[in-house]
Amino acid sequence: MSFLHIFKKSAKKRATLAQGQVVPDSSRCVQCGICTYNCPIEIDVRAYAWRGEAIHRSECLTCGECVARCPRGVLRFERTDLFRAAAK
């Protein structure tokens, strides 16, 4: 493993973190649970996907494991504009 590879991996993780929160498309979810199984902090991502709710738990690392592992492309990142929500 070269040093360049380490920096690329770190840059990809930072880009993921800056993208916001995980948002599901509940119409595509088949409740396989792969997203929940791969969550490093054991958030029940499957339940959020079933309800069609964005994962808004403060514990979510936005590591992207659930998004990357979903075989049906149910989950995606959506940008969060914290300042717009506070202005309302």
Side-chain angles (χ1 to χ4, degrees), residues 33-47 66 75:
I34 292 174
C35 53
T36 299
Y37 180 77
N38 287 289
C39 179
I41 59 169
E42 301 176 353
I43 292 176
D44 190 1
V45 179
R46 182 186 56 84
C66 58
L75 305 168

Side-chain angles (χ1 to χ4, degrees), residues 34-77:
I34 292 174
C35 53
T36 299
Y37 180 77
N38 287 289
C39 179
I41 59 169
E42 301 176 353
I43 292 176
D44 190 1
V45 179
R46 182 186 56 84
Y48 282 92
W50 184 251
R51 294 189 304 257
E53 296 177 3
I55 299 171
H56 49 77
R57 290 182 49 173
S58 61
E59 300 92 355
C60 180
L61 303 173
T62 61
C63 63
E65 283 299 314
C66 58
V67 175
R69 304 291 178 151
C70 179
R72 296 184 49 91
V74 172
L75 305 168
R76 70 181 191 289
F77 283 103

